[in-house]
Amino acid sequence: MSSIDMLSFEKAGWEQSYRRIAGVDEVGRGCLFGDVVAAAVILPEGLIIDGVDDSKKLTAKKRDALYEIIMEQALAVCVGHVESSIIDEINIKQASRLAMKKAVEGLSEAADYLLIDAEKVDLALPQQAIIKGDANSQSIAAASIVAKVTRDRLCEGLWEELYPDYGIKIHKGYATKLHREQIAALGPTPMHRRSFIGKILAEQQTLF
């Protein structure tokens, strides 16, 4: 049993009379392909969802099961996307923050306090950035699971169908050997992040 109290940051917020505390996290920051996806999740006060943790530590099966529970139990959930062309324009850090902002703004119940995984959201809401937030706050961990499952399902479904020759469903857009080889052989798709893959293409003497 973990000795970390996954609700310690939430409890501090509830004690200050905040009632709709949203955990916020993003996924896909290091990918060469596709959107960066953020989620904001408001869970009911005091609810403990057994097994919720940093999405990277969980199996895909466990993430899927927890995703269903989170979607069922949460007071509000919203996902924000920023596509690769915008990532190239404003850089990945700003794009991640924009995705988080979209997620918070889209919540069906307005958040009154934000717990964010090591970032700041450009909104006039009280907020706390927590290093390794997805391993220390249930709300952030829940957001990391929702963001990861949402993005993985796009990789395995729509994006794989759009670009079947790149192995998107296998590597989820990350810079694996297979992915780099396919980019070099076939060139980038419109969903590839040009600002991320210039070096790969330069190594292959390929221009785009």
Side-chain angles (χ1 to χ4, degrees):
M1 182 67 193
S2 167
S3 58
I4 297 170
D5 179 2
M6 290 290 279
L7 285 179
S8 61
F9 292 101
E10 285 83 347
K11 284 171 184 167
W14 294 326
E15 280 163 16
Q16 295 173 63
S17 298
Y18 294 116
R19 286 295 159 262
R20 293 185 304 279
I21 298 174
V24 188
D25 200 6
E26 52 67 38
V27 69
R29 202 168 179 140
C31 296
L32 304 178
F33 172 98
D35 305 355
V36 62
V37 175
V41 176
I42 302 175
L43 295 171
E45 189 172 334
L47 174 74
I48 294 170
I49 301 177
D50 198 38
V52 165
D53 200 346
D54 171 4
S55 65
K56 295 184 288 296
K57 295 181 187 168
L58 304 170
T59 63
K61 191 177 173 187
K62 183 72 175 160
R63 278 196 300 269
D64 281 335
L66 285 167
Y67 173 88
E68 298 306 331
I69 296 166
I70 292 161
M71 296 305 279
E72 200 176 280
Q73 304 270 345
L75 297 177
V77 179
C78 186
V79 176
H81 296 251
V82 174
E83 67 221 36
S84 48
S85 59
I86 307 292
I87 294 168
D88 286 339
E89 215 173 283
I90 64 176
N91 80 43
I92 187 61
K93 182 173 176 65
Q94 296 309 319
S96 298
R97 291 172 75 162
L98 179 58
M100 288 177 171
K101 183 181 179 180
K102 285 182 171 187
V104 174
E105 286 180 326
L107 286 164
S108 58
E109 289 195 29
D112 56 10
Y113 190 72
L114 306 179
L115 296 173
I116 310 150
D117 188 35
E119 245 327 333
K120 177 165 179 14
V121 175
D122 185 20
L123 288 168
L125 280 170
Q127 54 189 272
Q128 185 175 3
I130 302 164
I131 303 297
K132 292 199 165 67
D134 46 12
N136 291 289
S137 154
Q138 179 178 255
S139 302
I140 297 174
S144 83
I145 290 166
V146 171
K148 174 84 174 133
V149 170
T150 300
R151 194 177 189 284
D152 282 359
R153 288 177 181 179
L154 282 167
C155 289
E156 290 157 10
L158 178 63
W159 295 349
E160 173 68 22
E161 285 165 28
L162 284 171
Y163 305 108
D165 301 326
Y166 289 82
I168 305 299
K169 71 177 178 192
I170 301 164
H171 53 63
K172 309 292 190 284
Y174 286 92
T176 62
K177 183 169 182 285
L178 166 70
H179 194 188
R180 295 197 311 270
E181 284 171 358
Q182 293 310 91
I183 295 168
L186 304 169
T189 71
M191 285 186 66
H192 276 97
R193 303 175 186 176
R194 298 296 201 275
S195 52
F196 281 43
I197 61 177
K199 187 163 175 279
I200 292 166
L201 295 175
E203 283 166 7
Q204 309 281 345
Q205 279 83 50
T206 311
L207 298 171
F208 63 92

